[in-house]
Amino acid sequence: MLDRIKIIYLIAKNVFKASLRDRVMYGLVFLSLLFISMAHLPFVLKEIPGFKGEIPLNMAIQIGFFFITIFMFLIVVFVSLGILQDQLESGKMLLILSKPIRRGEVLLGINLGLVEILFLNWLVITGGLWLTAFIHTGQLNLNIFLGMGVIFLMAVLFLSLIITIYTFIPSGLSGLLAFLVFLGSFGAANSIHLTRWMDYPLLLNSTKIIIKCFPRVVPLLAVSMKTLGMISIEVNFVAPIVHTLISIIIFNLVAFFKFNQIK
């Protein structure tokens, strides 16, 4: 058992090191920090259009929230696809599988390595926003890490979806399809009401299951914004987070079984 864990750890470590050599990732991190530096503006300008009546800290957090969300998803797409295409290349896979390594261990190691590099990027980017707030307010504002932690969870879900789709369609198209699924999830919550017009029970039940499997992006964003103090409405914290954790597990199980079937 310990030998299997060690193999997975070594694969994850190799993926992590390979990701650190990705120049595109560094470019995205640099750009994200550059845009997040705009969070300084509310503290030095008297008024910013579109933020009338807001205190500087809230304005800074809103600016950081917007850019962190965008760049975390960009990093997931570019880094994960690059690693998947490199690590799952046919020649390399034949070399890896010639050793006493199982397919599932390879995929799990790749997944864990990508989560590690994703966490490192999230920590650096979120740390940039936190440092900005700390410099100007002198307060720890640890809720910034808690609120942005939900964005990290969304990024992990997005990563799991990309890996799952990649096992079916091993190309850059998997990133686009994963993005479209996330985009479609914005209307998934309301589309459940449209199913009442269906007269066929099998089609109705199948549609409901598909809709329920969509990522809960809007509720997750609401949880993040509530934690950051950006909104004051009541938000259910438990349901979207539990749904996301279950979705991550399901996506990875699907990827695991599909990857094991590839000849």
Side-chain angles (χ1 to χ4, degrees):
M1 181 63 179
L2 291 176
D3 291 337
R4 313 321 304 180
I5 295 176
K6 185 178 180 180
I7 289 173
I8 295 171
Y9 166 76
L10 291 174
I11 294 174
K13 185 179 179 180
N14 180 61
V15 168
F16 181 81
K17 288 182 177 180
S19 300
L20 289 177
R21 296 191 293 269
D22 193 332
R23 295 181 180 180
V24 174
M25 182 190 71
Y26 288 111
L28 289 172
V29 172
F30 174 76
L31 283 175
S32 67
L33 292 174
L34 189 63
F35 278 99
I36 290 171
S37 66
M38 294 173 61
H40 288 280
L41 295 179
F43 296 101
V44 297
L45 298 179
K46 292 183 178 180
E47 186 175 339
I48 298 179
F51 292 97
K52 189 175 182 180
E54 294 279 357
I55 64 174
L57 178 60
N58 286 348
M59 287 189 282
I61 289 177
Q62 289 180 48
I63 292 171
F65 172 83
F66 176 75
F67 287 117
I68 288 174
T69 302
I70 290 177
F71 279 98
M72 280 301 296
F73 279 82
L74 288 175
I75 289 172
V76 171
V77 171
F78 285 99
V79 175
S80 64
L81 288 179
I83 289 296
L84 287 171
Q85 290 173 343
D86 176 60
Q87 297 294 318
L88 300 183
E89 189 267 332
S90 299
K92 182 171 288 188
M93 280 299 300
L94 289 173
L95 179 62
I96 292 175
L97 295 176
S98 64
K99 304 172 183 178
I101 300 177
R102 301 167 185 169
R103 284 179 174 268
E105 293 169 347
V106 173
L107 193 62
L108 182 57
I110 292 174
N111 203 330
L112 291 177
L114 288 172
V115 170
E116 288 177 16
I117 197 67
L118 190 59
F119 177 77
L120 179 61
N121 281 277
W122 170 84
L123 191 61
V124 170
I125 297 172
T126 305
L129 176 62
W130 176 85
L131 185 60
T132 300
F134 178 75
I135 290 172
H136 291 284
T137 65
Q139 302 173 357
L140 292 178
N141 293 307
L142 295 179
N143 64 307
I144 290 177
F145 286 99
L146 292 175
M148 294 303 176
V150 180
I151 303 301
F152 172 71
L153 185 63
M154 287 177 56
V156 173
L157 176 61
F158 189 45
L159 171 64
S160 300
L161 185 57
I162 290 176
I163 292 175
T164 301
I165 296 176
Y166 192 89
T167 58
F168 289 88
I169 308 174
S171 69
L173 186 61
S174 57
L176 175 61
L177 292 175
F179 172 75
L180 291 177
V181 170
F182 259 70
L183 192 64
S185 67
F186 280 89
N190 295 324
S191 60
I192 192 72
H193 301 293
L194 300 177
T195 58
R196 61 186 177 182
W197 303 106
M198 296 182 180
D199 296 327
Y200 302 97
L202 180 60
L203 180 60
L204 175 63
N205 294 331
S206 300
T207 304
K208 285 183 176 180
I209 291 174
I210 293 173
I211 292 175
K212 288 181 179 179
C213 288
F214 267 80
R216 295 292 185 262
V217 176
V218 174
L220 283 174
L221 290 175
V223 171
S224 180
M225 294 169 72
K226 176 69 175 180
T227 306
L228 293 168
M230 295 170 57
I231 57 176
S232 57
I233 62 175
E234 291 297 322
V235 175
N236 186 341
F237 284 74
V238 178
I241 291 177
V242 171
H243 182 280
T244 300
L245 293 174
I246 293 174
S247 297
I248 291 173
I249 294 173
I250 292 175
F251 285 144
N252 281 285
L253 286 175
V254 171
F256 174 82
F257 287 115
K258 176 59 181 177
F259 191 61
N260 278 331
Q261 293 175 355
I262 297 176
K263 303 298 183 181

